[in-house]
Amino acid sequence: MTTFDRVKKLADKQKISIVELEEKLEFGRNSLYSWKKKIPNGASLAKVADYFGVSTDYLLGREVPRESNTEDDLTAFFRINTEGMTEEEIDNLKEELEDFMLIRAERLKRKKAKKDD
């Protein structure tokens, strides 16, 4: 898996396209696509890592992501008792929690951006 593949996977998880990510990070058009064949520079790599909350080592394939147990962490974080729920119900709940956390994170980013202006 290339660095680009890892970035694409993270972007897909947040339901944004590579083009949108490039715009948000103020990268040139197709700059992330070039990561399919070459290793990115440190500054760009760090910017992407910070955006997704992962390490540069993860993006380079040197470590397992911190979020590898995100689903379990979410149910623990919200202290949800899933006893008596079907696997499908648990999966749906986890998906809803992930969506909620992404929405809140975006809202906080916008709030911070307004405060910085």
Side-chain angles (χ1 to χ4, degrees):
M1 183 179 281
T2 66
T3 301
F4 174 80
D5 293 330
R6 286 181 192 82
V7 171
K8 176 79 170 115
K9 186 176 177 182
L10 291 167
D12 289 346
K13 207 171 193 180
Q14 289 196 10
K15 296 179 172 84
I16 62 170
S17 70
I18 292 298
V19 171
E20 289 173 305
L21 180 60
E22 288 172 334
E23 290 171 358
K24 286 182 181 203
L25 298 178
E26 298 178 347
F27 287 178
R29 189 75 164 203
N30 295 320
S31 59
L32 289 174
Y33 286 103
S34 71
W35 293 11
K36 289 180 180 183
K37 296 183 180 183
K38 68 176 190 172
I39 297 173
N41 70 49
S44 296
L45 191 67
K47 203 169 186 180
V48 172
D50 289 345
Y51 180 84
F52 287 116
V54 298
S55 70
T56 54
D57 280 340
Y58 166 70
L59 292 177
L60 292 171
R62 296 179 182 164
E63 73 176 33
V64 176
R66 292 181 308 194
E67 61 188 23
S68 60
N69 291 322
T70 302
E71 293 175 354
D72 295 332
D73 292 345
L74 280 175
T75 53
F77 178 77
F78 286 102
R79 292 176 171 65
I80 295 173
N81 180 359
T82 57
E83 189 176 329
M85 294 176 76
T86 65
E87 284 298 314
E88 184 178 346
E89 290 170 330
I90 293 169
D91 289 342
N92 287 338
L93 176 61
K94 289 175 183 177
E95 191 174 302
E96 290 293 325
L97 290 172
E98 286 176 0
D99 288 346
F100 171 76
M101 295 301 287
L102 290 172
I103 290 167
R104 291 299 302 152
E106 280 299 314
R107 204 175 278 168
L108 288 171
K109 284 179 189 175
R110 285 195 306 266
K111 197 178 211 181
K112 184 178 185 275
K114 282 183 183 177
K115 196 182 274 187
D116 291 344
D117 287 343

